Amino acid sequence: MTTELRVDLDAATPVYEQVRAQVAALVAVGALRPGDRLPASRDLARDLGVAVGTVQRAYRELEAQGVVRSRRRAGTVITEDVSAARRAAEAVAATLLDDVRSVVRKARELGVDDAELLTLVRGALAERP
């Protein structure tokens, strides 16, 4: 996989969900295409510094959503039906949009103007775990 996945072990979002959401988003934007193979769960777990079961759960969630299919010997590959991945990414985006709206409301309540808020968001985006 040319695009590297990253996880934040200190985040409130479970690691398996971080992996699932990132893979679904990569499929939705075309960075991962039908037929592309995901790394073996052992390899990805080692690279991310997490348990193999964590990656396996993310893969199972993706398979349940129709984003990937997993077969012994063939590994885990992106399905031909990328619309499932798009739906999964849209669900993540909808959840994030609710969170963003909440942050905007809170910022306005505190008197933070849009430029200040954007500066804060850019600063948060620049932070790396």
Side-chain angles (χ1 to χ4, degrees):
M1 180 165 27
T2 59
T3 305
E4 196 173 309
L5 300 178
R6 290 193 170 88
V7 295
D8 180 355
L9 299 176
D10 296 322
T13 304
V15 173
Y16 80 88
E17 176 58 20
Q18 293 177 48
V19 172
R20 187 211 59 77
Q22 288 178 56
V23 171
L26 290 169
V27 172
V29 300
L32 289 173
R33 300 181 187 280
D36 284 352
R37 186 180 301 216
L38 296 180
S41 52
R42 276 187 206 283
D43 295 339
L44 184 56
R46 184 191 63 240
D47 292 347
L48 296 175
V50 300
V52 174
T54 300
V55 174
Q56 289 172 338
R57 180 165 180 190
Y59 283 7
R60 280 193 310 271
E61 298 274 336
L62 288 162
E63 190 165 23
Q65 293 175 322
V67 176
V68 301
R69 73 175 183 287
S70 296
R71 301 286 180 260
R72 287 182 191 229
R73 297 185 188 192
T76 302
V77 298
I78 306 302
T79 63
E80 295 297 320
D81 180 16
V82 295
S83 62
R86 286 195 179 100
R87 284 191 304 276
E90 288 168 1
V92 169
T95 300
L96 288 175
L97 186 55
D98 287 343
D99 292 342
V100 169
R101 285 180 177 140
S102 176
V103 168
V104 169
R105 273 193 304 276
K106 183 70 172 177
R108 290 202 170 120
E109 288 171 8
L110 296 172
V112 175
D113 68 27
D114 292 355
E116 274 183 282
L117 179 58
L118 288 172
T119 299
L120 290 170
V121 169
R122 284 186 188 101
L125 288 170
E127 292 176 3
R128 293 286 178 223

